[in-house]
């Protein structure tokens, strides 16, 4: 049933100020100072860099399209990826109140979470499409599926539909009660059901990582046709998607491991410690740093942008 989970007991350790020793008070103050500094570094350095890179990429792609009236498949997907990451950076402004949290009604928090998940899933699966298109540049398609992947508008439409359905599922798993009440809002709401984090880990990290590994295995293990360029030359020609895929893996691994840790606390009916809360907050900011870094990598390494 939709009301089968009662999450009203859960709260942030920093909001549960029942300290019993000076050590706990010192740990609380230290964690608040750390998250505040990390947030200020992110807002001061990563956000402006990411947004400037994103805007430059948009201008370059639009200018190239207006000039040549055609856009390569990879460029179209990179444009899609860039827009998704710019939205993610704007949503990351919700970390500005840290070490406190954004105050919002449950419904408003759920809406923010929906758009965050939409951008999160979207960027992950568009990256998989880019890797597939790069594979097809090295191994010409012989099947109908291979030829379909070379139609990026169709593929992007499929990814948008798929990520919309995933984000809607996550919105339902945030819970359907207390929509009018004000709460401490994080983009992955603390009061979401444990299934929220499990679905997010599976479809937002586990499955995409498996597909990424398949793409890389195919790229390195399969013998290319005689007319295909050497592997090193192929990677040098299209470095941006490969660099981004490594960046996303590193940053999202940390973030998803911390999400699963939070789920284990929920299943044990525990709120954890201020240290657990601190590491989860840092993992969230690292995820946003990845969005900024990915845009910088596109600007620096993708040939039309260079």
């Amino acid at each position: 049933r939709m009301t089968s989970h009662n999450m009203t007991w859960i709260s942030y350790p920093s909001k549960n100020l029942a300290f019993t020793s000076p050590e706990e008070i010192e740990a609380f103050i230290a964690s608040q100072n750390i998250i505040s500094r990390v947030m200020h570094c992110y807002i001061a350095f990563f956000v402006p860099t990411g947004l400037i890179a994103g805007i430059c990429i948009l201008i370059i792609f639009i200018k190239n399209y207006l000039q040549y009236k055609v856009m390569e498949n990879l460029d179209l997907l990179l444009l899609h990826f860039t827009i998704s990451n710019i939205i993610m950076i704007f949503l990351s402004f919700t970390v500005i109140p840290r070490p406190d949290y954004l105050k919002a009604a449950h419904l408003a928090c759920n809406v923010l979470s929906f758009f965050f998940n939409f951008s999160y899933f979207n960027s992950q699966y568009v990256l998989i499409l880019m890797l597939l298109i790069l594979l097809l540049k090295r191994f010409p398609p012989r099947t109908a599926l291979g030829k379909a992947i070379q139609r990026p508008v169709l593929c992007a439409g499929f990814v948008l539909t798929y990520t919309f359905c995933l984000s809607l599922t996550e919105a339902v798993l945030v819970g359907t009660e207390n929509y009018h009440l004000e709460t401490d809002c994080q983009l992955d709401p603390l009061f979401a059901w444990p299934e929220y984090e499990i679905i997010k880990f599976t479809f937002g990290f586990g499955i995409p990582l498996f597909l990424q590994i398949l793409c890389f295995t195919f790229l390195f293990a399969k013998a290319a046709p005689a007319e295909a360029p050497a592997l090193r030359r192929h990677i040098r020609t299209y470095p941006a998607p490969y660099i981004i895929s490594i960046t996303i893996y590193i940053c999202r691994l940390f973030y998803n491991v911390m999400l699963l840790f939070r789920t284990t606390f929920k299943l044990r009916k525990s709120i954890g410690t201020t240290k657990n809360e601190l590491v989860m907050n840092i993992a969230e900011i690292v995820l946003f740093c990845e969005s900024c870094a990915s845009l910088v990598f596109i600007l620096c390494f993708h040939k039309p942008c260079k």
Side-chain angles (χ1 to χ4, degrees):
R1 290 190 309 117
M2 297 298 278
T3 55
S4 59
H5 289 287
N6 178 12
M7 300 301 294
T8 53
W9 59 271
I10 203 162
S11 67
Y12 289 101
S14 61
K15 301 287 183 180
N16 195 28
L17 303 174
F19 299 124
T20 55
S21 68
E23 289 79 14
E24 285 183 346
I25 296 169
E26 284 173 16
F28 168 73
I29 293 168
S31 68
Q32 297 274 290
N33 284 336
I34 291 166
I35 192 57
S36 179
R37 285 173 187 173
V38 171
M39 181 274 292
H40 280 110
C41 285
Y42 168 70
I43 295 294
F45 300 111
F46 283 88
V47 168
T49 310
L51 286 177
I52 290 166
I55 291 162
C56 288
I57 294 162
L58 292 180
I59 291 168
I60 290 163
F61 281 147
I62 291 166
K63 191 179 172 185
N64 285 353
Y65 179 75
L66 292 174
Q67 190 172 349
Y68 302 110
K69 301 297 177 190
V70 68
M71 190 176 281
E72 269 199 34
N73 295 349
L74 184 62
D75 288 354
L76 194 65
L77 291 178
L78 279 168
L79 180 63
H80 186 154
F81 182 84
T82 300
I83 293 166
S84 189
N85 278 280
I86 289 171
I87 293 167
M88 184 85 95
I89 293 169
F90 281 119
L91 287 169
S92 75
F93 288 156
T94 54
V95 304
I96 289 172
R98 302 291 157 84
D100 203 354
Y101 295 90
L102 183 73
K103 301 288 182 190
H106 277 67
L107 178 60
C109 194
N110 202 347
V111 170
L112 281 173
S113 178
F114 171 84
F115 285 110
F116 168 61
N117 283 319
F118 189 82
S119 297
Y120 178 88
F121 291 127
N122 188 47
S123 59
Q124 187 75 71
Y125 285 99
V126 168
L127 176 65
I128 302 294
L129 274 183
M130 284 192 267
L131 293 177
L132 286 172
I133 278 179
L134 290 183
L135 272 181
L136 294 176
K137 282 182 182 290
R138 187 161 166 77
F139 306 99
R142 293 188 181 89
T143 63
L145 178 64
K147 286 168 184 170
I149 290 166
Q150 289 194 310
R151 297 173 66 188
V153 175
L154 185 72
C155 292
F158 172 76
V159 166
L160 286 170
T161 307
Y162 178 61
T163 52
F164 177 82
C165 294
L166 280 176
S167 305
L168 206 58
T169 304
E170 289 289 74
V172 171
L173 294 174
V174 168
T176 54
E177 294 180 317
N178 306 318
Y179 270 159
H180 59 289
L181 297 180
E182 193 177 70
T183 185
D184 293 311
C185 180
Q186 211 170 356
L187 290 176
D188 282 312
L190 182 70
F191 52 85
W193 300 350
E195 289 89 344
Y196 173 94
E197 282 103 355
I198 294 164
I199 293 288
K200 185 153 187 172
F201 177 85
T202 306
F203 290 93
F205 185 74
I207 292 171
L209 177 62
F210 173 72
L211 294 172
Q212 269 180 256
I213 290 168
L214 273 184
C215 287
F216 277 106
T217 305
F218 204 83
L219 181 71
F220 288 106
K222 187 173 168 64
E227 67 274 11
L231 179 60
R232 189 175 290 181
R233 188 179 165 195
H234 168 79
I235 291 171
R236 279 180 183 168
T237 309
Y238 308 104
Y242 295 117
I243 294 168
I244 290 166
S245 64
I246 294 163
T247 310
I248 281 185
Y249 167 70
I250 293 166
C251 296
R252 296 197 177 189
L253 175 65
F254 175 41
Y255 174 71
N256 278 275
V257 166
M258 294 319 301
L259 265 187
L260 285 185
F261 267 120
R262 197 169 82 169
T263 312
T264 60
F265 286 125
K266 287 181 183 180
L267 295 172
R268 295 204 310 257
K269 295 277 183 180
S270 165
I271 62 168
T273 64
T274 50
K275 188 179 177 183
N276 301 136
E277 183 183 353
L278 166 67
V279 179
M280 184 68 225
N281 276 317
I282 290 172
E284 186 181 31
I285 291 173
V286 166
L287 177 74
F288 296 136
C289 289
E290 172 258 301
S291 290
C292 300
S294 293
L295 295 177
V296 172
F297 291 144
I298 293 170
L299 190 63
C300 294
F301 295 105
H302 188 53
K303 200 169 280 182
C305 296
K306 281 202 292 184

